[in-house]
Amino acid sequence: MEKEIPETSCDIPIRLDNQPLIESVEVDLPVPSLSDNAADLDRLARSLSQKGFSPIRIAPGKMNEFVGKMRENDLRFRAVVGYTGRDWEVLDVVALSPDAPVLGFGLDLGTSTLVLRLIDIARKKTIREVLVKNPQAAHGEDILSRIIFAGDAGGLGILRRLLVEACSDAMEKMLRDSGVSALCVYALSCAGNTAISHFFWGLDPSNICREPYIPAANTFPIVRAAELGFDFLPNSLLYLFPNVGSYVGGDIISGVITAGLNRSDGVRMLIDVGANAEIVLGNCDWLLACAGAAGPALEGGVVERGMQAMAGAIDSVRIDRKTLDPELRVIGGGKASGVCGSGLIELVAEMFSSKIVNIQGKFSTGLNCARFRNTPDGPAYALALCSQSSDGREILISEVDIGIFLKSKAAMYTILSLICRKVGLKFDDLEIIYIAGNFGAHIDPEKAVRIGMIPDLPLETYQAIGNSSLLGACMLLWDRTLLAEAEKVRNMITYVELNVNVELINEFRGALFIPHTDPKLFPSVRFPQDGPQ
Amino acid sequence: MEKEIPETSCDIPIRLDNQPLIESVEVDLPVPSLSDNAADLDRLARSLSQKGFSPIRIAPGKMNEFVGKMRENDLRFRAVVGYTGRDWEVLDVVALSPDAPVLGFGLDLGTSTLVLRLIDIARKKTIREVLVKNPQAAHGEDILSRIIFAGDAGGLGILRRLLVEACSDAMEKMLRDSGVSALCVYALSCAGNTAISHFFWGLDPSNICREPYIPAANTFPIVRAAELGFDFLPNSLLYLFPNVGSYVGGDIISGVITAGLNRSDGVRMLIDVGANAEIVLGNCDWLLACAGAAGPALEGGVVERGMQAMAGAIDSVRIDRKTLDPELRVIGGGKASGVCGSGLIELVAEMFSSKIVNIQGKFSTGLNCARFRNTPDGPAYALALCSQSSDGREILISEVDIGIFLKSKAAMYTILSLICRKVGLKFDDLEIIYIAGNFGAHIDPEKAVRIGMIPDLPLETYQAIGNSSLLGACMLLWDRTLLAEAEKVRNMITYVELNVNVELINEFRGALFIPHTDPKLFPSVRFPQDGPQ
């Protein structure tokens, strides 16, 4: 499960006057004499301070190496310096070559997937991106199981090591494949949810899941990557995005910064569907966050033949209104292995528009269709025939699958509805709704509206922004002002607990229908009885 | 060669309103709740900041340990924090016991001797002091030989390891003997000359001894002691006094602070005789330093039966004017092994006053004395007979020995004379002359004046201040304002190179006599022909 993007231009918005986290500074020191006899490293610090890099820090274990390299280069060299929030650390001394690479990694530490991007900081380019499975899944698919496992003797250490090793292996391979040296990597910028951040740092996560849900740490100092076990990156700093609290992690803060919610005058929304659905609403004055268990089904994780949006997944479906046969699109072409979240959304929308299911998601009786099947789970629809399927088995979507899916979509709509109501806003007040993640990249907003998963707004309101956690981590490499911005966002965000109360249950019940029991909420949706859509 | 001082009260001047480098702070955190859900470590940092300790740093490897201890103690505990010059590092979390020890070590890293003092920072007491040989001597008695050895493959690493191991072994033994845990040591404060500082930090010292004499570093960051190899002190910071340059090291800066030269209105002088003689002259407005090779003979290192001022050394001599027999004082009582610097000064003064030698240091002819010997090196005086000597051999002082000694004393007087003349001062202008080191502790100023080694000033002008390098290092543990003061002193000191010129040679020639060719310089000294002294 590895995906590679060959060298691409940058898809990350960078300001022209950006101030990178890492700077490569040309240094030409005056030749020492009896009248100017400052020590080598004091001379270096003096010169860097004059160029605005102050105060300067040098790790004790690096001092002798730097003095040697300074002398070898006759005191004319480039100093690579990294910003740590309070001071500048000298990370390397290199020869005065114009093309000395200055590289960094952005890391999204996801519950199920780790995404790593190798960045050329100096040239503002993405070199390579790789996805690998989070090997912690061996000790629990969901975060709660891993938190429990961490409480066992040695458990936390195992989870930490698995994560660091998986990231290290991926990074070493990426460097090898790109033909660049690990010595040229000067920064790792990482974002993850609160529990993963704890595993990564080796912190006890046990209180995250117990009232009053107190993490061990929400903020992390910038350290040398080797201090967290990345020994093969001796010149690199490591930055981990801060968390707001148990339910809102650094991945969300990174996403908010990518979407620019905190810099917007108008009210915007960020929807990030991963293991959970996480929502942030707000603008430059306020930010509200909430989370709900809407995720797995939307990512294809619960439905029997569900899968993530990757090669082999059916991600788009069109059903002929007469024959009721489907037309499929499979990611990467070839035979289908399953159906991903966006495929499910389209499938249910099309089954509804084709009257295969009614507004309750139940199969219509009396329809004559070659794709109908009767299974022990009740009626089902054969989305792919044996000949179209990678394992030779039909891909069936049963009434039970659809019921599960509708619960997820209802949860999503309910969350969106409640968080807006919390601040007295209507959906119309939202300027932009960013949909993040793999899910956002594949979803067709029109279909999602048609089944009542997301509000019935002009389709241009919806913008897919990709892996916003990863992108924010990468942006930081180019823009050190985001260090302060992340801290500001962290303090701005208010987490809203969505209590299970009558209001929520009523909302949810209405949203279980396709698209909703209250059609006025979805004026653009044409019902099957209105004619073809 | 180990000396121990049992638990003593403090001999170091501490201000009443002192601000220690390490503080033990009582912390009582509010119980977390849904409405106050800051993370554990953020809560700790917030509380410490409110008490004035800000910004706060916590080492990544310590975070989980601290969270565990905070929780175990129900969020009521003491946090031990150390000042690093820019921020406060949390070093430990301990139970709320009133007698939790807060310990530190002061270290004087001498060329031949390492002196370590275990300090109770909270109670302002010295617990124990130990002297050990600097094992680097195996690779060169003098600094220059060691610098050359450091240039060999692996040499620098060997010198560094020897130093760190010798210090570690001594400290571990001191802790064991005192019945305290290494976990209660929170600071090492170290001072040494420039070359030793380089060995200690693992820095290439090769340019120290080549024009234009540029050290690799003159200033050192405050680091965790474990970063320099003191793994048995996991909670300790390490501070190394800065150097001025090749010839003026952190030991001298520490000494200047101990003597308070930089806080004095009147002009004072510090004389530190170790491997070299190092002199600082000045007041709160200016400081001048110079160094000369006056040391070894004065410390007993060159004279054949010379030795350091330690058990077995003859440190005081009185010669009967009639019988010409000596009366000896031996350090520690018992038989004599040799003669130390202060013993030599007294011996030469007494031999001169008894007319055994003349003003040129030559043996008088025609004197009848049972202690005279004729040796291959010429005439000699039997200071100790076989029965008084630890090895059964007579301790002889030959004319050659006296000649060597007179060169050292002449060098000393010449340096003192020239440095004062540099700034247009006369000896009379000096308010206090501090004599540091073992040498200073044993020297009798009256005798030193009698042989013309030091200026003929009222004897109360001379004050012995002991190991001023060690004392300054210990003072820092109690007074963090000395961090800034050391940096200020470093920038104030001007090093004066005493060039070999006609003026110096003439000064030196005059000073080779006892006390001097110009008796007007020593009006208080009575010559033998004037009658008994």
Side-chain angles (χ1 to χ4, degrees), chain B residues 192-199 205 208 215 217-218 220 243-251:
Chain B
N193 66 42
T194 303
I196 298 267
S197 299
H198 277 59
F199 299 144
I208 291 179
N218 275 331
F220 306 92
N243 304 311
V244 179
S246 293
Y247 294 106
V248 183
D251 49 351

Side-chain angles (χ1 to χ4, degrees), chain B residues 35-82:
Chain B
S35 60
D36 176 13
N37 60 356
D40 292 337
L41 293 178
D42 297 319
R43 193 176 295 269
L44 172 61
R46 187 177 67 188
S47 169
L48 288 171
S49 293
Q50 283 163 358
K51 292 173 198 282
F53 303 99
S54 169
I56 280 290
R57 259 189 90 84
I58 303 178
K62 286 284 181 183
M63 292 171 92
N64 209 35
E65 177 192 328
F66 292 165
V67 170
K69 287 178 169 177
M70 286 165 60
R71 292 262 173 184
E72 273 163 34
N73 287 289
D74 294 326
L75 303 182
R76 296 188 60 233
F77 53 88
R78 298 189 83 89
V80 182
V81 294

Side-chain angles (χ1 to χ4, degrees), chain A residues 134-349:
Chain A
N134 185 336
Q136 296 178 325
H139 299 286
E141 276 294 334
D142 61 303
I143 281 291
L144 190 59
S145 319
R146 293 186 211 170
I147 290 177
I148 293 166
F149 177 78
D152 296 347
L156 178 58
I158 291 171
L159 290 177
R160 197 182 111 61
R161 206 159 44 248
L162 281 172
L163 194 54
V164 169
E165 282 174 3
C167 292
S168 298
D169 291 349
M171 287 191 281
E172 289 195 278
K173 183 169 188 313
M174 290 166 82
L175 291 167
R176 234 174 9 248
D177 293 348
S178 311
V180 286
S181 160
L183 300 179
C184 305
V185 176
Y186 297 109
L188 302 190
S189 171
C190 314
N193 65 42
T194 303
I196 298 268
S197 299
H198 276 60
F199 299 145
F200 192 58
W201 211 270
L203 292 174
D204 175 12
S206 60
N207 293 307
I208 291 179
C209 55
R210 285 188 205 132
E211 204 179 319
Y213 315 109
I214 306 298
N218 276 331
T219 55
F220 306 92
I222 298 185
V223 297
R224 298 190 72 90
E227 289 185 77
L228 282 202
F230 296 99
D231 296 325
F232 73 105
L233 297 175
N235 301 330
S236 181
L237 295 178
L238 184 149
Y239 176 74
L240 180 60
F241 269 77
N243 304 311
V244 178
S246 293
Y247 294 107
V248 183
D251 50 350
I252 296 301
I253 292 183
S254 183
V256 165
I257 287 175
T258 303
L261 260 60
N262 58 312
R263 291 184 295 271
S264 160
D265 288 325
V267 177
R268 300 180 177 190
M269 183 183 264
L270 171 69
I271 302 177
D272 193 351
V273 179
N276 255 343
E278 283 154 339
I279 317 292
V280 186
L281 179 69
N283 61 16
C284 56
D285 294 322
W286 54 273
L287 292 166
L288 221 60
C290 67
L298 301 186
E299 275 220 310
V302 174
V303 170
E304 198 187 340
R305 293 300 291 265
M307 64 182 289
Q308 288 207 324
M310 48 188 285
I314 297 166
D315 74 334
S316 181
V317 180
R318 178 106 187 93
I319 294 179
D320 187 285
R321 298 284 180 270
K322 288 199 175 124
T323 65
L324 301 186
D325 281 341
E327 193 180 313
L328 308 179
R329 189 177 68 197
V330 176
I331 299 180
K335 296 200 173 179
S337 307
V339 57
C340 67
S342 59
L344 266 176
I345 291 170
E346 298 207 4
L347 173 61
V348 174

Side-chain angles (χ1 to χ4, degrees), chain A residues 32 34 37-42 55-56 60 63-64 71 86-87 201-204 207 211 214-216 218-219 223 227, chain B residues 32 34 37-42 55-56 60 63-64 71 86-87 201-204 207 211 214-216 218-219 223 227:
Chain A
L34 286 173
N37 60 356
D40 292 338
L41 293 178
D42 297 318
I56 279 290
M63 291 169 92
N64 208 36
R71 291 264 174 181
R86 288 190 201 151
D87 42 28
W201 211 270
L203 292 174
D204 175 12
N207 293 307
E211 204 179 319
I214 306 298
N218 276 331
T219 55
V223 297
E227 289 185 77
Chain B
L34 286 173
N37 60 356
D40 292 337
L41 293 178
D42 297 319
I56 280 290
M63 292 171 92
N64 209 35
R71 292 262 173 184
R86 289 190 200 151
D87 43 27
W201 211 270
L203 292 174
D204 175 11
N207 294 307
E211 202 179 321
I214 306 299
N218 275 331
T219 56
V223 298
E227 289 184 76

Side-chain angles (χ1 to χ4, degrees), chain B residues 27-272:
Chain B
V27 178
D28 188 350
L29 296 179
V31 175
S33 65
L34 286 173
S35 60
D36 176 13
N37 60 356
D40 292 337
L41 293 178
D42 297 319
R43 193 176 295 269
L44 172 61
R46 187 177 67 188
S47 169
L48 288 171
S49 293
Q50 283 163 358
K51 292 173 198 282
F53 303 99
S54 169
I56 280 290
R57 259 189 90 84
I58 303 178
K62 286 284 181 183
M63 292 171 92
N64 209 35
E65 177 192 328
F66 292 165
V67 170
K69 287 178 169 177
M70 286 165 60
R71 292 262 173 184
E72 273 163 34
N73 287 289
D74 294 326
L75 303 182
R76 296 188 60 233
F77 53 88
R78 298 189 83 89
V80 182
V81 294
Y83 187 57
T84 72
R86 289 190 200 151
D87 43 27
W88 288 89
E89 176 141 1
V90 183
L91 300 172
D92 206 359
V93 168
V94 296
L96 261 190
S97 144
D99 54 356
V102 177
L103 308 179
F105 277 100
L107 278 79
D108 170 42
L109 308 171
T111 305
S112 52
T113 311
L114 311 172
V115 192
L116 304 93
R117 196 182 267 212
L118 176 57
I119 298 280
D120 187 324
I121 298 176
R123 292 191 190 75
K124 304 189 183 179
K125 277 202 313 186
T126 292
I127 298 176
R128 198 171 282 267
E129 183 180 310
V130 169
L131 276 76
V132 293
K133 272 199 173 161
N134 185 337
Q136 295 178 327
H139 300 285
E141 277 293 334
D142 61 304
I143 281 292
L144 190 60
S145 318
R146 292 185 211 170
I147 290 176
I148 292 165
F149 177 79
D152 296 347
L156 178 59
I158 292 172
L159 290 178
R160 195 181 113 61
R161 207 159 44 247
L162 281 172
L163 193 54
V164 169
E165 281 174 4
C167 292
S168 297
D169 291 349
M171 287 191 280
E172 289 194 277
K173 182 167 189 313
M174 290 167 82
L175 291 167
R176 239 178 2 252
D177 292 348
S178 311
V180 286
S181 159
L183 300 178
C184 304
V185 176
Y186 298 110
L188 301 191
S189 172
C190 314
N193 66 42
T194 303
I196 298 267
S197 299
H198 277 59
F199 299 144
F200 192 58
W201 211 270
L203 292 174
D204 175 11
S206 60
N207 294 307
I208 291 179
C209 55
R210 281 188 207 133
E211 202 179 321
Y213 315 108
I214 306 299
N218 275 331
T219 56
F220 306 92
I222 297 187
V223 298
R224 298 190 72 88
E227 289 184 76
L228 282 203
F230 296 98
D231 296 325
F232 73 104
L233 298 175
N235 300 330
S236 181
L237 296 178
L238 185 148
Y239 175 75
L240 179 61
F241 269 76
N243 304 311
V244 179
S246 293
Y247 294 106
V248 183
D251 49 351
I252 296 301
I253 292 183
S254 182
V256 165
I257 287 174
T258 304
L261 259 60
N262 58 312
R263 290 184 297 272
S264 160
D265 289 324
V267 177
R268 300 182 178 189
M269 183 184 264
L270 172 68
I271 303 177
D272 194 349

